[in-house]
């Protein structure tokens, strides 16, 4: 551990909070239809888009109408992306946007990839530089990076509207919300982000792959492409799907320590801002602070554990008598699978930032983390995306947990539970319960199928049997069920013998199961969250009294952490035992 | 002679462990094993299915077959698990049966009062009491039982209601006014009354009471339904966890027997709260019955925990109720004795304590007592419209009443109010007294100062309610000034002065429109609309039949302060549910640490899973439990016996403390959350010490 390492962490948390707060206020204004400083810039294109889409943006939608629009929008996006990816080598595609002449990946891999990008998961069985044409990356994957992020955000906004609405059943208008999200929230930050990244050395071009001669006399192919624009939204929209296979460890995706810091800010800025937005929209900012505090506490816990564990080094290093403390030029610790330019703190922090959210980008190999350090991403995923979580996803997921916490805690103060003045009754509990149930259901059943069948075991290497194989399988489906997208490596769904799509084949079992898990675990909770919003909308509001359980103080934050950890930990505890815990408890290699 | 009927006070003494209640509860808990009963409780239904599967497995093993689902567990192990699973279900049934048993004992007492009497009709005919219908008019002389619920339409009598209220002193029941309701099964002890029956056959107050305490009409309350859904969702989550654990285990080379998986499932699902939930609800009703309050639905009990605003009648609740005359204040030009005489005459026919106190005070001025009959005065009774009473005597109209009513009347009749009057009215009002203006024809002769005494300890009570988050509103017919003074002295939060039934109703509606839950008490017929409108309406048993039907609770003691206790019972009920839910979920941590290391003890052992050597996960056996089987058995035993151990708590209820919601939450989280995590570690360890020794393995 180094002073610089801790300083990075403290600075990061400070800057995040300082930036997220005003952004939250800004977003609350955007979604309340108030005029913001960007209205003069985007007002005109906004109206133009409505005209183009032929939608009446002022028509109020109840939860069913809202959900219908959302599903139609997502289905259209899914079909379009599938079409783009499957025709990337078609005759009408110009060579300039596919300079390497990549064929399309097979249907099963494409099914997985499309489902992955539409659900904001960005799980990647493929590797970008050997599979995707520039056109596929730009008008296919990048577009979904924007749209899937937008869908997550509008669901959170709709849920908040339902929670605070005092009359009527309306949750707003989906088309208006998605257009405003893209224009007023994602576009400005993403454009600035891309420019900053380019300034640091992230590439943005259409050139052919370069062939260079290395100092040792060998030749090496260096992949090129329009990276910066996709990278910026990849982080900002908590997508996480890398342009290149090694994701944010690649020098063209994450060239410096500064970009590393900057990219982490991009990942958390919207999930954090949404919490402040929630507080402002409820009319009591403290409601937002309580949830922010809850999230931040769990986040810091994860960061500290990961940083300390990685800085301490692995048991193997200690057994070999190697130095693990920091020396000039090296941060020390367990540097296996990490980039020296990020160091231990930059890697541990990045790992936590991208696994608490649904981002799933990686700048180091999670598989090479120490036992305890590697358990942190597992634990983060087990918490089901409520520690900031994905854009929108994080807020609506934790609000479902808040509902459960309020129900149990509310009883303990001697009133039938109420949340922000609204009584929680059978309908809300049923919907929230089911919404929370889906992710563990999908993750555990898919893992069980994968480890119990030959088709599933085909994805783990012969070496990876035992707890390592279990960890890989479990992480793969836990990650896809959480729409996270980070991988423990080793779990295969696509085999490219010639480093290209020619002659490649997908592992149908893993591709299809994973794809279904992502779709189910994305749209299931979304529908339940919208239904909860519908159930709460227009409920009578009881004024707060001394006897009302408050949801804006530290006591409630503790209760909320308890519920999140108990439900998350209790659900995944047995599975965690058989994977990372066994591995952490033994020096035996499997 | 009236039969010896146990009084309601004795009901309070029915103990939880009285012999016949225990016997009956034990029997009932076996009867309730019927799956048609169990299916109403999803958590316990799952346990019952698990018990059946384990029993079948044991039978197969006992006849030399292989256990279902593989594994190499011995038959005795399956047997022990099966027995404890059945006990878990039986304990749950027992909790419910105990709660019902107490109610049933009370119902039996009540039932013994339901005598088949013959009613004497007004027209001279007679009719069996069971056949009386609404509108029948019966005559009840002294010594007879009143055959059904009704309203006194003629006469006045003393009635012994001890059978229902437990109060041994007879009460007066008379036609007209607010004391006209009589209950079937009570006995007239003097005089003779005519009663108009207001019930249909089989729907008497007594019938309703029996059904209520017996739990026959029990339906799940909204909050119970919601909690049941939460428990079902948790059960579903743990079923997924357990079902997927088998393939996970197989991948790790560990075959987990189905009996062990079932044990794990039952240990994890929230059986503790699932078992006690309905007992908690029944006990809540029961606690009210023991306070002599009949809640007509479980929903009303639940709602009483949520009350935000309490409307309290000033008289009888906040003040002792007897405002006594303490001073005569004559207007200029009138002698004090003259005022005393007019006031005395105006009060002669007034049997209220106020009226009598005026007569008593007048005596001190040497005014001799008049006899109404001998002086041939005509009595003008008080009405809510005129708000005054008096006599017409010797060609004069003598009146006393509220200041503004008298002034209005005098001005209407062509007189004028002396300027001193308003000063006096204001002064008395400011001092918390009640002024009564006294007039003779168009002349206002003076003011009687009525002093109202606030009951002791009211301020503390209101502070307590404030800490509970409940706003108190005093309702009084007094004018603003008087009301303000008393409100200030008693510490009540707000007041409604010059209240009329309409204004009361409007106040309730207004509070409800703001989303508040309102509770109130009432007795008169004109309280009925407000009682019906309030979320919790407690009717006084002494009140009119209309009031008793409008409210959703009846207080047999007719004690308006009872509302505070009712709110506490409601809160206790909800807290008990929440606390035991938290406890139940928190328990799972220890159960995991007991069962999972036992299941995976050989997993990834150096010599292989079957080698008998311990794998890496055995270090999670933090409790140091004796052996894998004793660990699992101990967890299941703990899971089962925690239910009977918590029966007394669920029947008594977790204590409610008015310390504010946040402090209360902190306290209960600490006791039932943290305690729920720690307690099973200790409990399972202790049980394991015994089990492990018994098994000798």
């Amino acid at each position: 551990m180094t002073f610089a390492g801790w300083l990075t962490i403290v600075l990061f948390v400070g800057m995040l909070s300082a930036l997220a707060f005003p952004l939250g206020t800004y977003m609350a204004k955007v979604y309340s239809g108030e005029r913001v400083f960007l209205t003069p810039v985007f007002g005109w294109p906004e109206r133009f888009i409505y005209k183009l889409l032929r939608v009446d943006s002022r028509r109020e939608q109840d939860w069913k109408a809202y959900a219908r629009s959302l599903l139609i929008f997502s289905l259209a996006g899914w079909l379009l992306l599938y079409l783009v990816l499957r025709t990337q080598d078609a005759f009408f595609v110009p060579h300039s946007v596919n300079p390497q002449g990549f064929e399309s990946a097979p249907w099963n891999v494409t099914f997985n990839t499309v489902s992955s990008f539409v659900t904001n998961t960005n799980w990647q069985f493929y590797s970008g530089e050997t599979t995707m044409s520039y056109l596929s990356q730009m008008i296919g994957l990048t577009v979904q990076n924007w749209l899937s992020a937008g869908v997550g955000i509008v669901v959170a906004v709709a849920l908040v509207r339902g929670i605070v609405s005092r009359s009527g059943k309306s949750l707003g208008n989906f088309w208006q919300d998605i257009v405003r999200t893209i224009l007023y929230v994602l576009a400005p930050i993403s454009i600035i982000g891309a420019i900053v990244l380019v300034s640091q050395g992230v590439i943005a071009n259409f050139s052919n792959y370069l062939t260079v001669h290395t100092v040792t006399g060998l030749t090496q192919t260096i992949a090129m492409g329009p990276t910066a624009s996709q990278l910026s939204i990849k982080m900002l929209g908590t997508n996480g799907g890398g342009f290149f296979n090694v994701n944010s460890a690649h020098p063209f995706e994450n060239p410096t320590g500064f970009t590393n810091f900057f990219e982490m800010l991009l990942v958390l800025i919207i999930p954090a801002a949404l919490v402040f937005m929630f507080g402002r929209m409820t009319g009591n900012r403290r409601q937002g602070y309580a949830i922010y505090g809850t999230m931040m506490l769990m986040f810091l816990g994860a960061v500290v554990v990961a940083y300390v564990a990685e800085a301490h080094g692995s048991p193997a290093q200690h057994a070999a008598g190697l130095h693990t403390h920091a020396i000039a030029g090296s941060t020390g610790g367990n540097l296996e699978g990490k980039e020296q330019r990020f160091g231990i703190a930059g890697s541990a922090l990045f790992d936590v930032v991208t696994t608490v959210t649904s981002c799933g980008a990686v700048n180091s190999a999670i598989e090479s983390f120490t036992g305890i350090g590697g358990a942190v991403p597992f634990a983060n995923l087990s918490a089901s995306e409520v520690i900031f979580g994905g854009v929108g996803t994080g807020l609506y997921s934790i609000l479902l947990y808040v509902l459960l916490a309020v129900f149990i805690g509310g009883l303990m103060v001697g009133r039938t539970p109420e949340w922000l003045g609204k009584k929680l009754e059978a309908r809300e509990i049923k919907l929230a319960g089911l919404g929370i149930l889906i992710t563990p259901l999908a993750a555990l059943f898919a893992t069980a199928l994968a480890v119990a069948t030959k088709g599933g075991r085909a994805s783990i290497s012969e070496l990876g049997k035992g707890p390592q194989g279990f960890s890989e399988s479990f992480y793969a489906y836990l990650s896809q069920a959480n729409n996270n997208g980070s991988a423990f490596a080793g779990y295969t769904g696509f085999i490219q013998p010639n480093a290209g799509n020619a002659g490649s084949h997908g592992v149908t079992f893993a591709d299809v199961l994973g794809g279904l898990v992502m779709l189910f675990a994305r749209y299931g909770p979304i529908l339940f969250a919208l239904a909860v919003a519908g159930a709460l909308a227009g409920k009578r509001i009881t004024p707060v009294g001394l006897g009302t359980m408050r949801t804006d103080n530290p006591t409630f934050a503790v209760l909320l952490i308890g519920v999140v950890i108990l439900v998350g930990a209790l659900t995944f505890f047995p599975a965690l035992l058989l994977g990372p815990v066994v591995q952490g408890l033994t020096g035996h290699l499997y | 002679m009236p039969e010896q009927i146990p009084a309601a006070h004795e009901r309070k003494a029915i103990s939880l462990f009285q012999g016949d209640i225990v016997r009956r509860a034990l029997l009932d808990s076996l009867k309730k094993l019927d799956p048609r009963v169990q299916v109403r409780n999803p958590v316990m239904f799952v346990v019952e299915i698990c018990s059946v599967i384990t029993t079948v497995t044991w039978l197969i093993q006992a006849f030399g077959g292989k256990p279902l689902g593989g594994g190499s567990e011995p038959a005795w192990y399956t047997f022990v698990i099966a027995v404890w699973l059945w006990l878990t279900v039986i304990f749950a049934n027992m909790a419910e049966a105990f709660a019902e048993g107490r109610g049933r004992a009370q119902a039996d007492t009540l039932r013994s009062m339901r005598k088949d009497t013959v009613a004497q009709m007004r027209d001279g005919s007679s009719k069996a009491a069971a056949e009386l219908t609404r509108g029948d008019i019966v005559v009840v002389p002294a010594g007879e039982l009143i055959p059904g619920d009704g309203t006194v339409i003629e006469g006045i009598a003393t009635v012994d209601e001890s059978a229902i209220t437990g109060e041994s002193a007879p009460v007066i029941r008379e036609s007209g006014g607010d004391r006209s309701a009589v209950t079937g099964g009570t006995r007239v002890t003097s005089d003779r009354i005519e009663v108009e029956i207001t019930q249909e056959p089989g729907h008497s107050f007594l019938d309703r009471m029996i059904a209520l305490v017996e739990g026959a009409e029990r339906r799940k309350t909204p909050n119970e339904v919601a909690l049941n859904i939460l428990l079902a969702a948790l059960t579903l989550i743990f079923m997924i966890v357990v079902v997927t654990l088998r393939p996970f285990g197989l991948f790790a080379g560990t075959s987990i027997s189905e009996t062990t998986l079932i044990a794990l499932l039952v240990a994890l699902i929230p059986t503790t709260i699932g078992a006690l939930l309905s007992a908690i609800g029944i006990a809540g009703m029961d606690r009210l019955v023991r306070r002599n309050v009949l809640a007509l639905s479980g929903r009303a009990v639940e709602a009483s925990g949520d009350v935000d605003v309490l409307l309290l009648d000033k008289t009888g609740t906040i003040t002792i109720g007897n405002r006594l005359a303490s001073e005569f204040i004559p207007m200029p030009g009138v002698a004090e004795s003259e005022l005393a005489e007019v006031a005395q005459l105006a009060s002669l026919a007034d049997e209220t304590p106020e009226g009598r106190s005026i007569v008593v005070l007048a005596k001190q001025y040497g005014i001799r007592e008049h006899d109404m009959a001998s002086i041939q005065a005509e009595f003008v009774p008080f009405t809510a419209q005129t708000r005054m009473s008096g006599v017409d005597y010797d060609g004069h109209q003598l009146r006393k009443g509220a200041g503004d009513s008298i002034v209005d009347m005098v001005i209407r009749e062509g007189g004028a109010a002396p300027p001193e009057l308003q000063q006096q009215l204001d002064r008395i009002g400011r001092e918390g007294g009640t002024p009564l203006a006294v007039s003779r024809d168009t002349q206002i002769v003076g003011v009687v100062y009525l002093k109202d005494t606030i009951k002791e300890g009211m301020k503390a009570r209101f502070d307590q309610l404030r800490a509970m988050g409940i706003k108190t509103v005093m309702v009084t017919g007094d004018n603003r000034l008087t009301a303000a003074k008393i409100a200030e002295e008693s510490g009540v939060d707000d007041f409604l002065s010059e209240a009329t039934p309409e204004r009361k109703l409007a106040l309730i509606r207004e509070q409800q429109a703001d989303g508040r839950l309102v509770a109130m008490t009432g007795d008169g017929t004109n309280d009925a609309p407000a009682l019906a409108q309030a979320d919790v309406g407690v009717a006084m048993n002494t009140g009119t039949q209309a009031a008793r039907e409008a409210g959703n609770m009846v207080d047999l003691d007719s004690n308006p302060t009872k509302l505070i206790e009712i709110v506490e019972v409601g809160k206790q009920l909800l807290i008990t549910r929440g606390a035991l839910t938290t406890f139940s979920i928190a328990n799972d941590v220890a159960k995991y640490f007991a069962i999972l290391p036992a299941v995976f003890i050989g997993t990834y052992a150096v010599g292989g899973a079957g080698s008998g050597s311990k794998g890496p996960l055995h270090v999670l056996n933090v409790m140091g439990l004796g052996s894998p089987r004793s660990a699992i058995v101990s967890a299941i035993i703990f899971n089962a016996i925690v239910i009977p151990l918590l029966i007394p708590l669920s029947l008594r209820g977790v204590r409610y403390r008015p310390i504010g919601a946040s402090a209360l939450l902190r306290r209960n989280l600490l006791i039932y959350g943290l305690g729920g995590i720690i307690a099973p570690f200790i409990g399972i360890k202790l049980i394991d010490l015994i089990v492990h020794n018994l098994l000798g393995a």
Side-chain angles (χ1 to χ4, degrees), chain A residues 294 401-402 404-414 549-551 553-566, chain B residues 574-587 589 654-655 657 659-680:
Chain A
T294 305
Y401 273 99
V402 167
L404 285 198
V406 167
F407 186 78
I408 296 171
L411 282 175
M412 278 196 288
V413 304
M549 186 182 74
R550 299 182 61 154
T551 50
N553 61 13
T555 310
F556 180 74
V558 170
L559 172 67
L560 184 58
I561 291 176
V563 171
V564 168
I565 291 179
L566 273 185
Chain B
L574 295 168
I575 293 174
T576 312
R577 268 184 209 156
L580 291 182
T581 305
T582 308
F583 183 79
S584 203
I585 299 171
N587 271 202
V589 177
V654 172
R655 225 178 106 192
R657 287 156 206 268
I659 48 177
S662 290
L664 197 61
L665 180 63
R666 263 198 301 279
R667 193 191 148 80
N668 286 331
L669 271 181
L670 215 60
I671 297 176
Y672 298 96
L674 196 61
I677 291 175
I678 296 166

Side-chain angles (χ1 to χ4, degrees), chain B residues 454-464 490:
Chain B
I454 291 162
K455 280 186 181 174
E456 243 174 90
M458 283 321 284
K459 204 169 181 108
R461 215 69 208 261
F462 292 136
D463 286 344
Q464 208 182 358
S490 64

Side-chain angles (χ1 to χ4, degrees), chain A residues 412 416 437 543 553 555 570, chain B residues 237 240 306 514 592 662 666 668:
Chain A
M412 278 196 288
T416 58
L437 195 86
N553 61 13
T555 310
L570 290 178
Chain B
I237 289 185
I240 297 165
D306 283 350
D514 290 343
Y592 263 139
S662 290
R666 263 198 301 279
N668 286 331

Side-chain angles (χ1 to χ4, degrees), chain A residues 469-559:
Chain A
F470 186 80
S471 289
E472 285 175 7
S473 308
F474 180 44
Y475 197 96
Y477 293 102
L478 188 59
S479 170
Q480 293 181 78
N482 273 303
N483 298 130
N484 178 276
S486 69
F488 221 56
Y491 200 79
T492 316
F494 188 30
I495 294 151
Q496 292 171 292
N498 306 317
N501 294 336
S504 65
H505 61 95
V507 181
T508 307
F509 184 95
D511 292 341
V512 174
L513 182 64
L516 292 176
V517 162
M518 288 184 275
L519 291 171
F520 178 65
R522 168 76 165 183
Y523 293 103
I526 281 184
L527 290 181
F528 283 117
L530 287 177
V532 167
L536 287 171
K539 266 202 176 193
R540 212 170 69 168
I541 292 185
T542 310
V544 175
L546 261 178
T548 319
M549 186 182 74
R550 299 182 61 154
T551 50
D552 61 351
N553 61 13
T555 310
F556 180 74
V558 170
L559 172 67

